[in-house]
Amino acid sequence: MRLIERALIILKEYIDNKGLKHSSKRLTIVESILTSKKHLTAEELYTKVKKTDKSIGIATVYRTIKLLADCGLVRELRFKDETPSYEPVLGQYHHGHLVCLKCGEIKEVSDTKTEELQSKLAKENGYDLQSYRLDLFGICPKCKAKDGARHE
Amino acid sequence: MRLIERALIILKEYIDNKGLKHSSKRLTIVESILTSKKHLTAEELYTKVKKTDKSIGIATVYRTIKLLADCGLVRELRFKDETPSYEPVLGQYHHGHLVCLKCGEIKEVSDTKTEELQSKLAKENGYDLQSYRLDLFGICPKCKAKDGARHE
DNA sequence: TTATCTGCAAAGCCTTTGCACTTAG
DNA sequence: CTAAGTGCAAAGGCTTTGCAGATAA
């Protein structure tokens, strides 16, 4: 399954970059959530994970979820009055652009929170989100400095 | 301020319909949150409310927030790893587009939360946001039904 | 060996709830 | 008068954290 392999590579790089270590328990949890077709709460993931490795504790599940969220492989969903749940973010291609109206500079930005809302927004309308385009138009810091000439 | 008056009418109707009662404490809390320019956490609202009526307890703040959420006058925001906060939903009008990749249908969607995040996103990068474009691409419910070819 | 990883259980945080009293209708 | 509203403090539910032992590099 290519998407998952790619995700595992991303994770590996993240772990290596941060000087963290690999572990089989973590891998079990990662695979459990990445192969899930639906979002899972921490408890549900914990239950699922235990089927593979009964010795895993829920603290590790939480720690792994946080790790995955940090490297962008999982995102947290919160529905009204519900326990938060987590869903894998696989081959989805997401980023937006920040465009300076003065100098035309274009900067790529990505933001999990924004994505999350977009996905939710689509879902609320019954759509399956496949991709999005987000363009933010404004004045970049450099031009502000030149222009405003009075604030930072 | 017309928007707030309208909100108070909505609330009154909600209360009357449900056979609930009016109370000055509740009104204080409602006014505090509806006139807030930014979203507030329960604690922040509690603090604000206390300036008007020191005898209000935080439990009532929570109860009132829930009431307002139920009648659609306030919505909950949850940013990653942050305490939930609440923002008034008044006459705001913001929108992006939901575009169906199959049939091309374009639907306007509006969402304050998304806009707020966009503004935040721009800010994080040092930009002053002036406008934005948000297009979400996916498959609309109708096309999903047709395609699946085995449902509908 | 050293820093990270883990399970466990305790601690934390935010929110809800039970109770007795107050108050609107 | 009756049912809803409220403050207070206790109870809950979900997450995080301290610790000591296990483990990757």
Side-chain angles (χ1 to χ4, degrees):
Chain A
M1 204 170 252
R2 182 153 317 147
L3 288 177
I4 295 204
E5 283 160 15
R6 199 183 306 161
L8 292 179
I9 290 172
I10 292 171
L11 176 62
K12 180 183 183 334
E13 285 174 355
Y14 184 87
I15 288 177
D16 292 343
N17 281 334
K18 292 254 178 179
L20 305 178
K21 293 173 180 175
H22 298 271
S23 88
S24 63
K25 294 190 177 192
R26 184 135 75 194
L27 188 58
T28 297
I29 297 167
V30 169
E31 287 178 340
S32 286
I33 189 165
L34 290 184
T35 58
S36 172
K37 263 136 201 133
K38 63 182 212 65
H39 53 260
L40 302 172
T41 64
E43 278 290 332
E44 288 165 344
L45 178 55
Y46 177 53
T47 302
K48 184 176 180 189
V49 146
K50 286 220 141 195
K51 289 177 188 162
T52 302
D53 181 345
K54 204 148 184 339
S55 73
I56 293 176
I58 195 157
T60 299
V61 170
Y62 275 108
R63 289 188 274 231
T64 302
I65 287 172
K66 197 168 270 283
L67 180 73
L68 289 174
D70 286 345
C71 59
L73 293 173
V74 151
R75 80 182 113 208
E76 185 186 83
L77 307 173
R78 302 234 193 194
F79 302 109
K80 194 167 165 27
D81 285 337
E82 280 176 26
T83 298
S85 58
Y86 304 88
E87 69 172 8
V89 178
L90 294 178
Q92 303 152 23
Y93 163 83
H94 292 311
H95 71 264
H97 297 99
L98 257 174
V99 184
C100 179
L101 293 168
K102 285 277 175 195
C103 67
E105 177 195 80
I106 296 179
K107 185 176 182 182
E108 264 184 37
V109 292
S110 51
D111 184 77
T112 316
K113 282 173 287 188
T114 302
E115 273 174 36
E116 186 176 289
L117 280 176
Q118 286 163 5
S119 150
K120 192 177 165 197
L121 195 55
K123 236 175 250 165
E124 282 168 358
N125 286 278
Y127 277 61
D128 284 338
L129 184 62
Q130 303 218 336
S131 66
Y132 73 84
R133 176 175 56 196
L134 173 63
D135 297 324
L136 304 174
F137 302 96
I139 309 297
C140 76
K142 278 171 272 173
C143 290
K144 269 200 290 184
K146 274 183 229 151
D147 262 18
R150 110 177 4 172
H151 308 297
E152 56 145 347
Chain B
M1 199 168 252
R2 183 153 318 149
L3 289 177
I4 294 203
E5 283 161 14
R6 199 182 307 162
L8 292 179
I9 290 172
I10 291 172
L11 176 63
K12 181 182 183 329
E13 286 174 355
Y14 184 87
I15 287 176
D16 292 343
N17 281 334
K18 294 253 178 179
L20 305 179
K21 293 173 179 175
H22 298 273
S23 88
S24 63
K25 295 192 177 190
R26 183 137 74 196
L27 187 58
T28 298
I29 297 168
V30 170
E31 286 178 341
S32 287
I33 190 166
L34 290 184
T35 58
S36 173
K37 263 135 202 135
K38 62 183 212 65
H39 53 260
L40 302 171
T41 63
E43 278 291 332
E44 288 165 346
L45 179 56
Y46 178 54
T47 302
K48 184 175 180 189
V49 147
K50 285 220 140 191
K51 289 176 188 163
T52 303
D53 181 344
K54 204 145 184 344
S55 73
I56 293 177
I58 195 158
T60 298
V61 170
Y62 276 108
R63 288 187 275 233
T64 302
I65 286 172
K66 196 166 271 285
L67 179 73
L68 290 173
D70 285 344
C71 60
L73 292 172
V74 150
R75 80 180 115 209
E76 185 186 81
L77 307 173
R78 302 233 190 193
F79 302 109
K80 195 170 162 27
D81 285 337
E82 280 177 26
T83 298
S85 59
Y86 305 88
E87 69 170 10
V89 179
L90 297 175
Q92 304 152 19
Y93 181 74
H94 295 302
H95 73 268
H97 297 100
L98 255 176
V99 183
C100 178
L101 293 168
K102 285 277 176 196
C103 68
E105 175 194 82
I106 295 178
K107 184 175 182 183
E108 267 186 33
V109 292
S110 49
D111 186 76
T112 315
K113 282 173 287 187
T114 301
E115 164 138 336
E116 191 172 283
L117 275 181
Q118 284 162 10
S119 152
K120 193 175 167 198
L121 191 57
K123 236 174 249 161
E124 281 168 359
N125 286 277
Y127 277 61
D128 283 338
L129 184 63
Q130 303 217 334
S131 66
Y132 73 87
R133 176 175 56 197
L134 173 63
D135 297 324
L136 303 174
F137 303 95
I139 309 298
C140 75
K142 277 171 270 169
C143 289
K144 269 199 288 182
K146 273 184 231 149
D147 263 21
R150 75 180 39 158
H151 309 299
E152 212 256 18

